[in-house]
Amino acid sequence: MTDNIYAALFKFQGLVRGVKRDSKNPHFKNNYASLEAVTDTIRPHMQECGLMWLQSPGKIIDGSIEVKTTIAYPATKETIEFTMEMPMAKRDPQGAGSALTYAMRYSLMAALGLPPTDDDAETAIDREHSRPEPEQPPKSSAQLKRDGEWERVTKSIAQDMIDVHTFAAFETLKASYRVEAQKNGWNRTFLEQLADHFAGLEDRLAREIEKDNLLLAGQ
C-alpha cells in the first residue's frame, strides 16, 4: 500500500519547489545546492507532511560507491527506496567522502522532485503567477457570517469526510474547497479558519488510519 506516502509527497511538493544554489564550485565556476541546503530546505516540510528520509552508503564496486535512499511515512510504515551508484574520483577516503556527499544530495533532490534554483524568491514568484484571480471580490468576515457561509461549509466538509479514508482522497477534498474559495470570494480570515479546520481533520484522519493499520497488523 502506498496511498498515504504518495499523498504526503503530493502535499510536500506543493510546499517546496526547489533548493537554492548556495555554494560555488571553484573548478567549474558554477553554483550548486549543497547537501546542507538540501536538508535544511526539506526537513521542516518533510516533518510537516509526516515524512522522513534515510540514506546509507553501500559497497564500493568497480570504483563506484552505492548510496541507498529511503523515503518513509512512519505512520503507516510505507517506504519508497532506490540505490544510486556514484563514481569516485579517487579510491581514498577523501574520494569516497566526496562521492558519497554528491550522491546523497542528488539522490534526495531526485527522489523529491526538487530542482536547484538561483533564488529563494523563485518559489514565491511561481506561486504568485499561478494563483487564479477570484471570480468575486472578497467578502468581509461579517458578511460571510451573516450569509451563514461558515456553517454551510463546515457541514458540507463533514458530509464529504464520511467517504474520505486516505490522505490522497483528503488532498483531493481540500483542493475542491480551494476552487470553491476562489469562486465565492472568501476572504483571508475565512481561509485561515478553514485551513485550521482542515488541519484538525487531517490529524483525526491520521489517527484513524494508524488505528486501522494497527488492527490489521494484529490480525
Side-chain angles (χ1 to χ4, degrees):
M1 183 177 70
T2 54
D3 282 356
N4 299 291
I5 191 169
Y6 281 131
L9 283 168
F10 177 81
K11 178 180 178 181
F12 171 84
Q13 290 180 345
L15 297 172
V16 187
R17 302 294 179 88
V19 182
K20 182 182 178 182
R21 293 185 176 99
D22 66 322
S23 300
K24 192 172 189 67
N25 187 317
H27 300 290
F28 297 103
K29 309 297 183 182
N30 66 317
N31 296 328
Y32 67 93
S34 67
L35 179 59
E36 183 179 10
V38 175
T39 57
D40 284 349
T41 299
I42 69 173
R43 181 176 286 108
H45 301 295
M46 290 278 279
Q47 292 176 347
E48 179 183 348
C49 297
L51 294 164
M52 64 175 288
W53 78 90
L54 298 168
Q55 291 187 293
S56 57
K59 298 178 181 178
I60 296 176
I61 302 175
D62 296 330
S64 294
I65 187 168
E66 292 181 342
V67 174
K68 181 180 178 181
T69 299
T70 302
I71 306 298
Y73 188 76
T76 57
K77 299 181 180 179
E78 297 170 45
T79 60
I80 300 172
E81 57 186 35
F82 61 92
T83 300
M84 172 183 279
E85 293 183 2
M86 182 60 61
M88 296 165 46
K90 295 181 180 180
R91 293 182 63 88
D92 59 17
Q94 184 178 2
S98 178
L100 182 61
T101 300
Y102 195 95
M104 288 173 67
R105 61 189 174 93
Y106 275 100
S107 292
L108 268 179
M109 293 171 72
L112 298 171
L114 300 178
T117 64
D118 291 321
D119 196 324
D120 288 335
E122 288 186 12
T123 297
I125 291 171
D126 287 344
R127 290 180 178 175
E128 285 296 326
H129 286 175
S130 63
R131 184 180 301 160
E133 291 295 326
E135 297 183 11
Q136 297 182 25
K139 300 177 183 178
S140 69
S141 297
Q143 182 63 51
L144 289 167
K145 187 175 181 180
R146 285 195 298 271
D147 292 346
E149 195 77 346
W150 179 255
E151 183 179 1
R152 181 191 69 79
V153 170
T154 51
K155 283 184 177 179
S156 176
I157 293 172
Q159 184 64 36
D160 291 337
M161 283 295 295
I162 294 174
D163 298 321
V164 173
H165 306 291
T166 67
F167 285 111
F170 184 76
E171 290 298 327
T172 299
L173 178 64
K174 283 203 301 184
S176 71
Y177 279 91
R178 283 195 291 269
V179 173
E180 186 172 349
Q182 292 295 328
K183 289 182 178 179
N184 295 336
W186 296 342
N187 66 16
R188 185 179 185 86
T189 300
F190 190 94
L191 292 174
E192 289 174 351
Q193 292 174 341
L194 192 62
D196 289 341
H197 186 66
F198 269 114
L201 292 174
E202 187 172 15
D203 288 341
R204 189 181 74 184
L205 178 63
R207 291 193 297 270
E208 290 175 354
I209 290 174
E210 185 175 5
K211 180 180 178 181
D212 291 342
N213 286 331
L214 289 173
L215 289 174
L216 288 172
Q219 293 179 356

